[in-house]
Amino acid sequence: MSFQFMGIDHVQLAAPEHCETTARRFYGGLLGWMEVPKPEPLANRGGVWFQCGTHQVHIGVQPTFTPATKAHPAFEVQHLNSLRQHLLNHNLNVINDETRLDEGVSRFYIHDPFGNRLEFLEKENSY
């Protein structure tokens, strides 16, 4: 093959119209992700973009919005238990999942303010 995949550039999650303030409060404020300016040709479409490690998460407006409750991005985190406690301190419903503990993977799920499922995980001995 003459092509090679380099990885994921960004993940897009859908949200309802007028979601920007809520998205900034959740992704920027609660999770601490830095907002990334959208390119001018896309700015008028609504939504907001964030930097998460080396990747971006784009929150895009979908007029007929339905949250993704099964399909989801998984974010690798250092100090997962600290993140878990931070989210619990902010009254988020943390859904623990121990199905990969035998592989050395700790993980849990939450739902963003729009109902999209988000997974956070930490691999044993990866840091």
Side-chain angles (χ1 to χ4, degrees), residues 36-74:
V36 176
K38 291 178 68 173
E40 192 59 40
L42 301 176
N44 66 346
R45 295 183 183 180
V48 61
W49 293 5
F50 296 95
Q51 192 70 40
C52 173
T54 60
H55 301 74
Q56 290 185 7
V57 176
H58 297 177
I59 309 301
V61 172
Q62 184 174 352
T64 58
F65 171 71
T66 302
T69 57
K70 179 63 176 173
H72 63 276

Side-chain angles (χ1 to χ4, degrees), residues 41-126:
L42 301 176
N44 66 346
R45 295 183 183 180
V48 61
W49 293 5
F50 296 95
Q51 192 70 40
C52 173
T54 60
H55 301 74
Q56 290 185 7
V57 176
H58 297 177
I59 309 301
V61 172
Q62 184 174 352
T64 58
F65 171 71
T66 302
T69 57
K70 179 63 176 173
H72 63 276
F75 302 100
E76 189 171 359
V77 177
Q78 188 174 12
H79 307 296
L80 184 69
N81 287 330
S82 294
L83 174 61
R84 177 186 287 111
Q85 191 58 55
H86 174 71
L87 297 172
L88 289 169
N89 290 345
H90 285 85
N91 300 314
L92 267 77
N93 182 29
V94 172
I95 304 159
N96 292 310
D97 187 329
E98 298 181 354
T99 57
R100 295 186 61 196
L101 282 177
D102 62 333
E103 300 172 40
V105 178
S106 299
R107 64 187 187 155
F108 64 83
Y109 301 91
I110 64 169
H111 291 92
D112 75 3
F114 316 113
N116 295 307
R117 180 176 173 171
L118 306 175
E119 178 181 342
F120 299 94
L121 63 89
E122 185 171 32
K123 297 174 183 173
E124 188 176 290
N125 301 321
S126 63

